[in-house]
mmCIF file of all heavy atoms in Angstrom:
data_model
loop_
_atom_site.group_PDB
_atom_site.id
_atom_site.type_symbol
_atom_site.label_atom_id
_atom_site.label_comp_id
_atom_site.label_asym_id
_atom_site.label_seq_id
_atom_site.Cartn_x
_atom_site.Cartn_y
_atom_site.Cartn_z
ATOM 1 N N GLU A 1 33.726 64.332 -13.181
ATOM 2 C CA GLU A 1 33.761 62.923 -12.778
ATOM 3 C C GLU A 1 35.123 62.487 -12.268
ATOM 4 O O GLU A 1 35.289 61.874 -11.268
ATOM 5 C CB GLU A 1 33.267 62.066 -13.922
ATOM 6 C CG GLU A 1 33.216 60.580 -13.536
ATOM 7 C CD GLU A 1 32.713 59.695 -14.709
ATOM 8 O OE1 GLU A 1 32.407 60.244 -15.759
ATOM 9 O OE2 GLU A 1 32.636 58.450 -14.498
ATOM 10 N N ARG A 2 36.137 62.895 -13.068
ATOM 11 C CA ARG A 2 37.499 62.598 -12.686
ATOM 12 C C ARG A 2 37.883 63.255 -11.352
ATOM 13 O O ARG A 2 38.517 62.664 -10.540
ATOM 14 C CB ARG A 2 38.456 62.991 -13.801
ATOM 15 C CG ARG A 2 39.946 62.838 -13.456
ATOM 16 C CD ARG A 2 40.293 61.416 -13.192
ATOM 17 N NE ARG A 2 41.747 61.297 -12.984
ATOM 18 C CZ ARG A 2 42.347 60.189 -12.444
ATOM 19 N NH1 ARG A 2 41.620 59.138 -12.076
ATOM 20 N NH2 ARG A 2 43.666 60.116 -12.342
ATOM 21 N N TYR A 3 37.480 64.501 -11.234
ATOM 22 C CA TYR A 3 37.820 65.234 -9.984
ATOM 23 C C TYR A 3 37.187 64.565 -8.777
ATOM 24 O O TYR A 3 37.794 64.450 -7.719
ATOM 25 C CB TYR A 3 37.365 66.633 -10.113
ATOM 26 C CG TYR A 3 37.992 67.608 -9.093
ATOM 27 C CD1 TYR A 3 39.316 67.965 -9.185
ATOM 28 C CD2 TYR A 3 37.238 68.099 -8.058
ATOM 29 C CE1 TYR A 3 39.870 68.842 -8.230
ATOM 30 C CE2 TYR A 3 37.794 68.928 -7.094
ATOM 31 C CZ TYR A 3 39.076 69.293 -7.206
ATOM 32 O OH TYR A 3 39.623 70.125 -6.312
ATOM 33 N N ASN A 4 35.966 64.061 -8.908
ATOM 34 C CA ASN A 4 35.280 63.325 -7.842
ATOM 35 C C ASN A 4 36.039 62.036 -7.481
ATOM 36 O O ASN A 4 36.210 61.642 -6.309
ATOM 37 C CB ASN A 4 33.835 63.042 -8.210
ATOM 38 C CG ASN A 4 32.964 64.268 -8.113
ATOM 39 O OD1 ASN A 4 33.239 65.231 -7.348
ATOM 40 N ND2 ASN A 4 31.903 64.303 -8.868
ATOM 41 N N GLU A 5 36.582 61.376 -8.502
ATOM 42 C CA GLU A 5 37.367 60.154 -8.259
ATOM 43 C C GLU A 5 38.611 60.474 -7.471
ATOM 44 O O GLU A 5 38.991 59.754 -6.535
ATOM 45 C CB GLU A 5 37.803 59.527 -9.612
ATOM 46 C CG GLU A 5 36.598 58.943 -10.412
ATOM 47 C CD GLU A 5 37.057 58.443 -11.754
ATOM 48 O OE1 GLU A 5 38.243 58.654 -12.137
ATOM 49 O OE2 GLU A 5 36.189 57.920 -12.506
ATOM 50 N N LEU A 6 39.257 61.599 -7.764
ATOM 51 C CA LEU A 6 40.456 61.978 -7.057
ATOM 52 C C LEU A 6 40.118 62.372 -5.610
ATOM 53 O O LEU A 6 40.890 62.007 -4.662
ATOM 54 C CB LEU A 6 41.124 63.221 -7.727
ATOM 55 C CG LEU A 6 41.568 62.980 -9.223
ATOM 56 C CD1 LEU A 6 42.070 64.289 -9.805
ATOM 57 C CD2 LEU A 6 42.632 61.869 -9.261
ATOM 58 N N TYR A 7 38.954 62.983 -5.385
ATOM 59 C CA TYR A 7 38.554 63.328 -4.072
ATOM 60 C C TYR A 7 38.259 62.042 -3.260
ATOM 61 O O TYR A 7 38.707 61.887 -2.091
ATOM 62 C CB TYR A 7 37.271 64.134 -4.085
ATOM 63 C CG TYR A 7 36.660 64.311 -2.699
ATOM 64 C CD1 TYR A 7 37.155 65.236 -1.808
ATOM 65 C CD2 TYR A 7 35.550 63.543 -2.334
ATOM 66 C CE1 TYR A 7 36.577 65.339 -0.497
ATOM 67 C CE2 TYR A 7 34.966 63.671 -1.095
ATOM 68 C CZ TYR A 7 35.506 64.549 -0.176
ATOM 69 O OH TYR A 7 34.954 64.692 1.097
ATOM 70 N N ASP A 8 37.627 61.061 -3.884
ATOM 71 C CA ASP A 8 37.311 59.795 -3.203
ATOM 72 C C ASP A 8 38.592 59.040 -2.823
ATOM 73 O O ASP A 8 38.662 58.448 -1.748
ATOM 74 C CB ASP A 8 36.458 58.876 -4.122
ATOM 75 C CG ASP A 8 35.052 59.444 -4.288
ATOM 76 O OD1 ASP A 8 34.624 60.244 -3.493
ATOM 77 O OD2 ASP A 8 34.427 59.015 -5.327
ATOM 78 N N ALA A 9 39.596 59.121 -3.719
ATOM 79 C CA ALA A 9 40.830 58.444 -3.455
ATOM 80 C C ALA A 9 41.746 59.252 -2.500
ATOM 81 O O ALA A 9 42.739 58.748 -1.959
ATOM 82 C CB ALA A 9 41.572 58.215 -4.771
ATOM 83 N N GLN A 10 41.337 60.513 -2.263
ATOM 84 C CA GLN A 10 42.129 61.429 -1.468
ATOM 85 C C GLN A 10 43.563 61.498 -1.969
ATOM 86 O O GLN A 10 44.549 61.572 -1.170
ATOM 87 C CB GLN A 10 42.150 61.044 0.029
ATOM 88 C CG GLN A 10 40.811 61.401 0.702
ATOM 89 C CD GLN A 10 40.598 62.931 0.769
ATOM 90 O OE1 GLN A 10 41.232 63.621 1.602
ATOM 91 N NE2 GLN A 10 39.742 63.465 -0.055
ATOM 92 N N ARG A 11 43.681 61.537 -3.276
ATOM 93 C CA ARG A 11 45.002 61.657 -3.895
ATOM 94 C C ARG A 11 44.795 62.297 -5.324
ATOM 95 O O ARG A 11 44.128 61.679 -6.156
ATOM 96 C CB ARG A 11 45.635 60.310 -4.029
ATOM 97 C CG ARG A 11 47.069 60.332 -4.597
ATOM 98 C CD ARG A 11 47.700 58.980 -4.649
ATOM 99 N NE ARG A 11 48.993 58.985 -5.268
ATOM 100 C CZ ARG A 11 50.099 59.325 -4.738
ATOM 101 N NH1 ARG A 11 50.147 59.693 -3.444
ATOM 102 N NH2 ARG A 11 51.297 59.334 -5.390
ATOM 103 N N ASP A 12 45.399 63.370 -5.562
ATOM 104 C CA ASP A 12 45.354 64.028 -6.853
ATOM 105 C C ASP A 12 46.480 63.512 -7.752
ATOM 106 O O ASP A 12 47.541 64.038 -7.722
ATOM 107 C CB ASP A 12 45.442 65.559 -6.675
ATOM 108 C CG ASP A 12 45.315 66.307 -8.003
ATOM 109 O OD1 ASP A 12 45.060 65.643 -9.044
ATOM 110 O OD2 ASP A 12 45.423 67.560 -8.030
ATOM 111 N N GLU A 13 46.169 62.475 -8.445
ATOM 112 C CA GLU A 13 47.182 61.828 -9.368
ATOM 113 C C GLU A 13 47.408 62.620 -10.617
ATOM 114 O O GLU A 13 48.300 62.297 -11.399
ATOM 115 C CB GLU A 13 46.764 60.395 -9.680
ATOM 116 C CG GLU A 13 46.686 59.506 -8.418
ATOM 117 C CD GLU A 13 46.266 58.079 -8.796
ATOM 118 O OE1 GLU A 13 45.816 57.913 -9.950
ATOM 119 O OE2 GLU A 13 46.431 57.150 -7.962
ATOM 120 N N ASP A 14 46.559 63.638 -10.885
ATOM 121 C CA ASP A 14 46.687 64.381 -12.131
ATOM 122 C C ASP A 14 47.578 65.606 -11.994
ATOM 123 O O ASP A 14 48.437 65.855 -12.822
ATOM 124 C CB ASP A 14 45.280 64.820 -12.657
ATOM 125 C CG ASP A 14 44.412 63.605 -13.037
ATOM 126 O OD1 ASP A 14 44.969 62.496 -13.158
ATOM 127 O OD2 ASP A 14 43.199 63.779 -13.152
ATOM 128 N N PHE A 15 47.333 66.399 -10.950
ATOM 129 C CA PHE A 15 48.077 67.667 -10.774
ATOM 130 C C PHE A 15 48.737 67.804 -9.405
ATOM 131 O O PHE A 15 49.430 68.780 -9.152
ATOM 132 C CB PHE A 15 47.192 68.845 -11.027
ATOM 133 C CG PHE A 15 46.724 68.998 -12.428
ATOM 134 C CD1 PHE A 15 45.454 68.561 -12.815
ATOM 135 C CD2 PHE A 15 47.581 69.540 -13.348
ATOM 136 C CE1 PHE A 15 45.055 68.635 -14.146
ATOM 137 C CE2 PHE A 15 47.169 69.664 -14.730
ATOM 138 C CZ PHE A 15 45.909 69.218 -15.098
ATOM 139 N N GLY A 16 48.515 66.860 -8.502
ATOM 140 C CA GLY A 16 49.246 66.827 -7.241
ATOM 141 C C GLY A 16 48.749 67.808 -6.213
ATOM 142 O O GLY A 16 49.529 68.150 -5.295
ATOM 143 N N LYS A 17 47.478 68.205 -6.249
ATOM 144 C CA LYS A 17 46.988 69.076 -5.189
ATOM 145 C C LYS A 17 46.875 68.320 -3.892
ATOM 146 O O LYS A 17 46.510 67.135 -3.875
ATOM 147 C CB LYS A 17 45.608 69.673 -5.607
ATOM 148 C CG LYS A 17 45.060 70.638 -4.574
ATOM 149 C CD LYS A 17 44.000 71.577 -5.131
ATOM 150 C CE LYS A 17 42.741 70.808 -5.485
ATOM 151 N NZ LYS A 17 41.682 71.744 -5.951
ATOM 152 N N GLU A 18 47.092 68.972 -2.792
ATOM 153 C CA GLU A 18 47.045 68.344 -1.504
ATOM 154 C C GLU A 18 45.635 67.773 -1.228
ATOM 155 O O GLU A 18 44.639 68.406 -1.601
ATOM 156 C CB GLU A 18 47.391 69.373 -0.369
ATOM 157 C CG GLU A 18 48.765 70.000 -0.557
ATOM 158 C CD GLU A 18 48.772 71.220 -1.501
ATOM 159 O OE1 GLU A 18 47.675 71.589 -1.998
ATOM 160 O OE2 GLU A 18 49.879 71.806 -1.689
ATOM 161 N N ALA A 19 45.623 66.682 -0.571
ATOM 162 C CA ALA A 19 44.303 65.948 -0.353
ATOM 163 C C ALA A 19 43.335 66.793 0.368
ATOM 164 O O ALA A 19 42.134 66.854 0.078
ATOM 165 C CB ALA A 19 44.552 64.668 0.397
ATOM 166 N N PHE A 20 43.770 67.589 1.393
ATOM 167 C CA PHE A 20 42.816 68.374 2.170
ATOM 168 C C PHE A 20 42.232 69.542 1.405
ATOM 169 O O PHE A 20 41.292 70.186 1.842
ATOM 170 C CB PHE A 20 43.468 68.888 3.508
ATOM 171 C CG PHE A 20 44.414 69.995 3.376
ATOM 172 C CD1 PHE A 20 44.062 71.279 3.681
ATOM 173 C CD2 PHE A 20 45.767 69.766 2.989
ATOM 174 C CE1 PHE A 20 44.956 72.362 3.564
ATOM 175 C CE2 PHE A 20 46.659 70.776 2.891
ATOM 176 C CZ PHE A 20 46.270 72.112 3.188
ATOM 177 N N ARG A 21 42.760 69.768 0.227
ATOM 178 C CA ARG A 21 42.192 70.827 -0.608
ATOM 179 C C ARG A 21 41.465 70.269 -1.820
ATOM 180 O O ARG A 21 41.161 71.026 -2.773
ATOM 181 C CB ARG A 21 43.295 71.840 -1.009
ATOM 182 C CG ARG A 21 43.677 72.701 0.183
ATOM 183 C CD ARG A 21 44.642 73.764 -0.152
ATOM 184 N NE ARG A 21 44.816 74.697 0.935
ATOM 185 C CZ ARG A 21 45.827 75.578 1.101
ATOM 186 N NH1 ARG A 21 46.745 75.611 0.165
ATOM 187 N NH2 ARG A 21 45.863 76.387 2.158
ATOM 188 N N LEU A 22 41.158 68.985 -1.842
ATOM 189 C CA LEU A 22 40.293 68.432 -2.801
ATOM 190 C C LEU A 22 38.806 68.562 -2.273
ATOM 191 O O LEU A 22 38.625 68.717 -1.126
ATOM 192 C CB LEU A 22 40.601 66.969 -3.041
ATOM 193 C CG LEU A 22 41.915 66.678 -3.749
ATOM 194 C CD1 LEU A 22 42.280 65.201 -3.634
ATOM 195 C CD2 LEU A 22 41.897 67.138 -5.191
ATOM 196 N N SER A 23 37.841 68.547 -3.203
ATOM 197 C CA SER A 23 36.466 68.641 -2.784
ATOM 198 C C SER A 23 35.581 67.898 -3.785
ATOM 199 O O SER A 23 35.921 67.810 -4.948
ATOM 200 C CB SER A 23 36.044 70.113 -2.729
ATOM 201 O OG SER A 23 36.226 70.767 -4.005
ATOM 202 N N ALA A 24 34.479 67.312 -3.292
ATOM 203 C CA ALA A 24 33.599 66.624 -4.168
ATOM 204 C C ALA A 24 32.631 67.659 -4.821
ATOM 205 O O ALA A 24 32.287 68.707 -4.259
ATOM 206 C CB ALA A 24 32.755 65.625 -3.341
ATOM 207 N N ILE A 25 32.179 67.288 -6.026
ATOM 208 C CA ILE A 25 31.182 68.144 -6.729
ATOM 209 C C ILE A 25 30.025 67.196 -7.111
ATOM 210 O O ILE A 25 29.958 66.723 -8.265
ATOM 211 C CB ILE A 25 31.789 68.842 -7.928
ATOM 212 C CG1 ILE A 25 33.009 69.631 -7.513
ATOM 213 C CG2 ILE A 25 30.799 69.742 -8.633
ATOM 214 C CD1 ILE A 25 33.841 70.171 -8.720
ATOM 215 N N ARG A 26 29.175 66.937 -6.121
ATOM 216 C CA ARG A 26 28.082 65.967 -6.370
ATOM 217 C C ARG A 26 26.721 66.460 -5.881
ATOM 218 O O ARG A 26 25.681 65.955 -6.322
ATOM 219 C CB ARG A 26 28.397 64.688 -5.588
ATOM 220 C CG ARG A 26 29.572 63.869 -6.131
ATOM 221 C CD ARG A 26 29.650 62.504 -5.502
ATOM 222 N NE ARG A 26 30.623 61.669 -6.171
ATOM 223 C CZ ARG A 26 31.791 61.285 -5.649
ATOM 224 N NH1 ARG A 26 32.160 61.757 -4.444
ATOM 225 N NH2 ARG A 26 32.617 60.541 -6.313
ATOM 226 N N THR A 27 26.677 67.351 -4.989
ATOM 227 C CA THR A 27 25.450 67.745 -4.297
ATOM 228 C C THR A 27 24.906 69.039 -4.851
ATOM 229 O O THR A 27 25.553 70.155 -4.673
ATOM 230 C CB THR A 27 25.658 67.867 -2.767
ATOM 231 O OG1 THR A 27 26.279 66.661 -2.312
ATOM 232 C CG2 THR A 27 24.326 68.078 -2.061
ATOM 233 N N ALA A 28 23.759 69.016 -5.512
ATOM 234 C CA ALA A 28 23.164 70.245 -6.032
ATOM 235 C C ALA A 28 22.671 71.108 -4.881
ATOM 236 O O ALA A 28 22.404 70.649 -3.750
ATOM 237 C CB ALA A 28 21.988 69.863 -6.935
ATOM 238 N N PRO A 29 22.580 72.434 -5.092
ATOM 239 C CA PRO A 29 22.873 73.130 -6.373
ATOM 240 C C PRO A 29 24.399 73.240 -6.618
ATOM 241 O O PRO A 29 25.189 73.235 -5.672
ATOM 242 C CB PRO A 29 22.274 74.488 -6.188
ATOM 243 C CG PRO A 29 22.307 74.752 -4.698
ATOM 244 C CD PRO A 29 22.109 73.373 -4.066
ATOM 245 N N PHE A 30 24.720 73.349 -7.927
ATOM 246 C CA PHE A 30 26.126 73.524 -8.370
ATOM 247 C C PHE A 30 26.341 74.947 -8.768
ATOM 248 O O PHE A 30 25.441 75.681 -9.203
ATOM 249 C CB PHE A 30 26.363 72.638 -9.520
ATOM 250 C CG PHE A 30 26.124 71.152 -9.284
ATOM 251 C CD1 PHE A 30 24.988 70.541 -9.762
ATOM 252 C CD2 PHE A 30 27.027 70.431 -8.513
ATOM 253 C CE1 PHE A 30 24.751 69.195 -9.543
ATOM 254 C CE2 PHE A 30 26.750 69.090 -8.251
ATOM 255 C CZ PHE A 30 25.632 68.473 -8.726
ATOM 256 N N TYR A 31 27.545 75.433 -8.530
ATOM 257 C CA TYR A 31 27.941 76.785 -8.771
ATOM 258 C C TYR A 31 29.095 76.927 -9.683
ATOM 259 O O TYR A 31 29.989 76.071 -9.701
ATOM 260 C CB TYR A 31 28.283 77.479 -7.427
ATOM 261 C CG TYR A 31 27.199 77.527 -6.358
ATOM 262 C CD1 TYR A 31 26.984 76.401 -5.551
ATOM 263 C CD2 TYR A 31 26.421 78.682 -6.153
ATOM 264 C CE1 TYR A 31 26.067 76.440 -4.549
ATOM 265 C CE2 TYR A 31 25.503 78.698 -5.140
ATOM 266 C CZ TYR A 31 25.314 77.569 -4.369
ATOM 267 O OH TYR A 31 24.386 77.618 -3.354
ATOM 268 N N GLY A 32 29.174 77.980 -10.421
ATOM 269 C CA GLY A 32 30.333 78.305 -11.240
ATOM 270 C C GLY A 32 30.398 79.811 -11.518
ATOM 271 O O GLY A 32 29.299 80.496 -11.459
ATOM 272 N N VAL A 33 31.571 80.334 -11.766
ATOM 273 C CA VAL A 33 31.742 81.726 -12.074
ATOM 274 C C VAL A 33 32.903 81.956 -13.005
ATOM 275 O O VAL A 33 33.827 81.139 -12.992
ATOM 276 C CB VAL A 33 31.994 82.546 -10.708
ATOM 277 C CG1 VAL A 33 33.238 82.120 -10.024
ATOM 278 C CG2 VAL A 33 31.929 84.032 -10.984
ATOM 279 N N LYS A 34 32.822 82.955 -13.817
ATOM 280 C CA LYS A 34 33.913 83.319 -14.751
ATOM 281 C C LYS A 34 34.784 84.364 -14.048
ATOM 282 O O LYS A 34 34.257 85.359 -13.592
ATOM 283 C CB LYS A 34 33.376 83.820 -16.049
ATOM 284 C CG LYS A 34 34.373 84.184 -17.055
ATOM 285 C CD LYS A 34 33.771 84.615 -18.371
ATOM 286 C CE LYS A 34 34.747 84.926 -19.467
ATOM 287 N NZ LYS A 34 34.145 85.240 -20.714
ATOM 288 N N LEU A 35 36.120 84.118 -14.045
ATOM 289 C CA LEU A 35 37.039 85.024 -13.373
ATOM 290 C C LEU A 35 38.165 85.483 -14.303
ATOM 291 O O LEU A 35 38.548 84.779 -15.190
ATOM 292 C CB LEU A 35 37.667 84.314 -12.179
ATOM 293 C CG LEU A 35 36.818 83.931 -11.003
ATOM 294 C CD1 LEU A 35 37.696 83.289 -9.950
ATOM 295 C CD2 LEU A 35 36.060 85.073 -10.446
ATOM 296 N N GLY A 36 38.616 86.711 -14.024
ATOM 297 C CA GLY A 36 39.859 87.219 -14.583
ATOM 298 C C GLY A 36 40.666 87.812 -13.453
ATOM 299 O O GLY A 36 40.247 87.828 -12.328
ATOM 300 N N GLY A 37 41.863 88.284 -13.778
ATOM 301 C CA GLY A 37 42.762 88.885 -12.752
ATOM 302 C C GLY A 37 42.385 90.288 -12.372
ATOM 303 O O GLY A 37 41.740 90.980 -13.191
ATOM 304 N N LYS A 38 42.685 90.627 -11.154
ATOM 305 C CA LYS A 38 42.572 92.026 -10.641
ATOM 306 C C LYS A 38 43.991 92.511 -10.291
ATOM 307 O O LYS A 38 44.572 91.985 -9.390
ATOM 308 C CB LYS A 38 41.690 92.074 -9.431
ATOM 309 C CG LYS A 38 40.180 91.965 -9.706
ATOM 310 C CD LYS A 38 39.612 93.328 -10.088
ATOM 311 C CE LYS A 38 38.085 93.341 -10.071
ATOM 312 N NZ LYS A 38 37.548 94.620 -10.442
ATOM 313 N N GLU A 39 44.480 93.449 -11.037
ATOM 314 C CA GLU A 39 45.885 93.946 -10.843
ATOM 315 C C GLU A 39 46.020 94.835 -9.647
ATOM 316 O O GLU A 39 45.218 95.821 -9.520
ATOM 317 C CB GLU A 39 46.274 94.668 -12.135
ATOM 318 C CG GLU A 39 47.577 95.410 -12.021
ATOM 319 C CD GLU A 39 48.804 94.546 -12.122
ATOM 320 O OE1 GLU A 39 48.755 93.394 -11.724
ATOM 321 O OE2 GLU A 39 49.841 95.094 -12.685
ATOM 322 N N LEU A 40 46.944 94.516 -8.738
ATOM 323 C CA LEU A 40 47.210 95.396 -7.605
ATOM 324 C C LEU A 40 48.421 96.319 -7.889
ATOM 325 O O LEU A 40 48.312 97.514 -7.599
ATOM 326 C CB LEU A 40 47.516 94.564 -6.347
ATOM 327 C CG LEU A 40 46.298 94.052 -5.587
ATOM 328 C CD1 LEU A 40 45.705 92.780 -6.298
ATOM 329 C CD2 LEU A 40 46.671 93.669 -4.123
ATOM 330 N N ALA A 41 49.482 95.767 -8.357
ATOM 331 C CA ALA A 41 50.722 96.554 -8.471
ATOM 332 C C ALA A 41 51.640 95.903 -9.484
ATOM 333 O O ALA A 41 51.745 94.650 -9.538
ATOM 334 C CB ALA A 41 51.401 96.707 -7.073
ATOM 335 N N THR A 42 52.379 96.737 -10.167
ATOM 336 C CA THR A 42 53.503 96.219 -10.968
ATOM 337 C C THR A 42 54.751 96.182 -10.153
ATOM 338 O O THR A 42 54.957 96.957 -9.251
ATOM 339 C CB THR A 42 53.712 97.157 -12.229
ATOM 340 O OG1 THR A 42 53.893 98.516 -11.784
ATOM 341 C CG2 THR A 42 52.570 97.082 -13.165
#
């Protein structure tokens, strides 16, 4: 809900992400995935 508010305002007041990289999460279906890192090189 908060993230959608930031998108509507086109301003990330919480973490400062650029406006053009905000997105709304309102339209079903909704997606999610669990991620970890993939190591390329030390």
Side-chain angles (χ1 to χ4, degrees):
E1 182 179 359
R2 174 60 174 166
Y3 196 73
N4 285 333
E5 292 173 356
L6 300 175
Y7 171 78
D8 292 340
Q10 285 296 284
R11 182 178 176 84
D12 183 2
E13 296 179 346
D14 294 346
F15 292 99
K17 183 161 66 176
E18 303 85 0
F20 74 100
R21 286 186 171 163
L22 293 169
S23 57
I25 305 173
R26 291 192 171 107
T27 307
F30 302 104
Y31 300 81
V33 63
K34 182 176 183 177
L35 295 182
K38 283 277 193 180
E39 169 80 327
L40 278 79
T42 54

